[in-house]
Amino acid sequence: MHSVNEALKYLGSNPLILSIIGYFCKKLNKTFMLSVSNLSVQFGKRILFDEVNTQFVQGNCYGIIGANGAGKSTFLKIMAGKQDPTSGHVHLEPGKRMSVLEQDHNACDAFTVLETVVRGNKDLYALKAQIDALYADYTDENAEKIGELQVAFEEMNGWNADSDAAALLSSLGIKEDFHYTLMSDLDGKQKVRVLLAQALFGAPDVLIMDEPTNDLDYETIAWLEHFLANYDKCVIVVSHDRHFLDAVCTHISDIDFGKINHFSGNYTFWYESSQLAARQRAQQNKKSEEKKKELQEFIMRFSANVAKSKQATSRKKMLEKLNIDEIKPSSRRYPAIIFDREREAGDQILNIEGLSAEQDGELLFSGLDLNLSKGDKVVIYSKDSRASTAFYEIINNNIKAASGTFSWGVTTAQSYLPLDNSPFFDKDYSLVDWLRQWAKTEEEKEEVHLRGFLGKMLFSGDEALKTCKVLSGGEKVRCMLSRMMMIRANVVMLDEPTNHLDLESITAFNNSLKNFKGTVLLTTHDHEFAQTVGNRVVELTPKGLIDRYMTFDDYMSDKKIKELRQSMYAV
């Protein structure tokens, strides 16, 4: 396909040329749904994209990755026609339909749930509206026109539109009772599911989604992973959920230095192979034949591991495309997140008896009896996120429990990353002065020492002197991680730690916790984080807790536990 890239680069967006290229692509069984030619985006002096030429092919799912600010969401908006590039063109193959996951959750408030979903196929919905309008003003003159439109409507499977939309909604957990409810009457999480159904409705040829797993529960994400992994059209997605990217992607599209490069494989393959390539680049003495053999062996090991996984069938198309020539070192910078302990804790970590929590008169969890031991890495889970946050706030003495007691082991030292970190940044300190608040010795208070911690979290040079009040959400979390590393606790508590972080920070954070020798209490919507860090799952419910020593995946897939969970949440 290199010749196609060159053609797009030098011939621009000439429709005739694009049609010719499309013809030959089809001959090669490479039907490109969407192509980008000479695309550039510039904001003032900042160049986001520079002469980008690329194609998105039928049957592939592309995960768009890039550092925060690289332009992932901007690129999707341009693909969707919601933002104009500075120069260049986007070409959708004639006769093909594109669908975009709606980001404005209130955009369809005036419509019913079912109508909102059907509106996802704009051509079908417009045709239905035209037929309805003619029927409303029925005359002998427009009867023939109605007949013609109905033939087209039938060809689009229009008569089954409502039942297809209803089936999609039910699959996403929106019960039939809500199908004729106005969107304005739904809560935020219900709206997200309806808008997801809208994007998927009618099997669009090109599906564009920006962070589709946000605000979805575990079961809905699992359903979406299965749906997309077996979808035979073209999918372009931005997500910080590595498990999701691994489950659905055949290609990773890396935005770097103003360009977009496609790499065969899912996110884990891209990450591990690019790390291997970077190590090889540093090995000047190793022969090229040895490096090539090492890469081939890596692909074989990776393919074997995927083939054993539960989703092997859906990932088969990804494995067929893995190519040694595409493996390149990445320019990504990963923060150096290393959790050390000042001392090792004893056997007794945390003892909880009869703990309960309420909020606005509503019971969040009750009758919590729990004993933590050294080395436990516990995923604290609940269908109600308020319950897990209340749990952390109670055991950190920030709020009082409705009932019950807890006591920490005398050898423990705790460090806590709360869901809301804003109280930590209410003073107008520089980052160096901000971090100095948690220094324990005179040596730790030295600016050189503090800059070292900040540098590990990618705050280098003058960035370490900027005020903490102007930080982005991701920068604040990285500061909080610097603070936690400085405290050197033997128990760390993390309430949604991946919020606001980019994939590089999430990956480094995840790897650090896997290697941490202390005790971890963790609540996260990041499936990969939960699965690879936790060795125990504790679920908080209004009727008590469920406590199992097992991985997160085993816990969520266990049939007996599923039945127990249903009974614990039943009203």
Side-chain angles (χ1 to χ4, degrees), residues 148-179:
E148 292 173 1
L149 293 176
Q150 286 180 335
V151 170
F153 190 66
E154 185 171 2
E155 288 175 353
M156 297 174 74
N157 199 30
W159 302 117
N160 294 321
D162 283 359
S163 59
D164 289 347
L168 198 51
L169 285 165
S170 297
S171 296
L172 287 164
I174 302 296
K175 295 180 180 178
E176 196 172 338
D177 298 351
F178 291 98
H179 290 188

Side-chain angles (χ1 to χ4, degrees), residues 501-567:
L501 292 180
D502 57 21
L503 277 169
E504 291 73 44
S505 298
I506 292 171
T507 302
F509 196 178
N510 195 162
N511 290 339
S512 175
L513 285 178
K514 285 195 290 186
N515 296 324
F516 180 56
K517 303 300 183 186
T519 300
V520 178
L521 290 95
L522 164 72
T523 294
T524 180
H525 62 273
D526 188 301
H527 187 143
E528 190 72 10
F529 222 102
Q531 170 62 13
T532 57
V533 174
N535 57 22
R536 181 180 181 182
V537 179
V538 170
E539 184 161 5
L540 312 178
T541 82
K543 294 183 179 179
L545 66 78
I546 307 172
D547 183 7
R548 296 290 187 276
Y549 274 97
M550 56 174 58
T551 66
F552 185 70
D553 278 350
D554 287 344
Y555 179 86
M556 297 303 283
S557 60
D558 188 288
K559 290 183 180 179
K560 289 185 178 179
I561 293 176
K562 279 184 181 179
E563 293 173 2
L564 178 59
R565 293 180 69 222
Q566 287 180 343
S567 68

Side-chain angles (χ1 to χ4, degrees), residues 391-400 406 408 414 416:
F391 171 77
Y392 289 115
E393 290 292 294
I394 289 168
I395 63 173
N396 280 278
N397 288 309
N398 293 332
I399 63 173
K400 288 187 176 181
F406 69 92
W408 288 101
Q414 304 90 38
Y416 174 40

Side-chain angles (χ1 to χ4, degrees), residues 181-219:
T181 302
L182 281 176
M183 286 287 284
S184 57
D185 294 332
L186 299 186
D187 64 36
K189 291 187 177 181
Q190 288 173 320
K191 283 184 177 181
V192 168
R193 295 184 190 190
V194 176
L195 294 174
L196 181 58
Q198 181 191 67
L200 302 177
F201 178 70
D205 300 291
V206 178
L207 178 60
I208 294 179
M209 299 188 291
D210 192 355
E211 298 291 355
T213 63
N214 282 1
D215 296 316
L216 296 182
D217 60 20
Y218 172 87
E219 287 79 11

Side-chain angles (χ1 to χ4, degrees), residues 337 339 417 457 476-486 494 497 501 505 509:
I337 304 174
F339 290 113
L417 179 64
M457 299 308 296
K476 286 181 178 178
V477 175
R478 284 191 278 130
C479 280
M480 292 293 288
L481 293 178
S482 296
R483 168 186 170 273
M484 294 181 78
M485 288 192 290
M486 179 170 267
L494 310 161
L501 292 180
S505 298
F509 196 178

Side-chain angles (χ1 to χ4, degrees), residues 444-494:
E444 288 181 355
K445 292 177 182 178
E446 293 288 334
E447 184 165 326
V448 173
H449 183 83
L450 296 165
R451 278 179 172 271
F453 270 96
L454 292 168
K456 289 176 183 177
M457 299 308 296
L458 308 183
F459 294 109
S460 55
D462 291 341
E463 282 192 322
L465 298 176
K466 66 182 179 182
T467 175
C468 63
K469 279 197 170 182
V470 300
L471 297 178
S472 68
E475 287 173 328
K476 286 181 178 178
V477 175
R478 284 191 278 130
C479 280
M480 292 293 288
L481 293 178
S482 296
R483 168 186 170 273
M484 294 181 78
M485 288 192 290
M486 179 170 267
I487 291 172
R488 299 195 301 280
N490 49 32
V491 179
V492 296
M493 293 168 280
L494 310 161

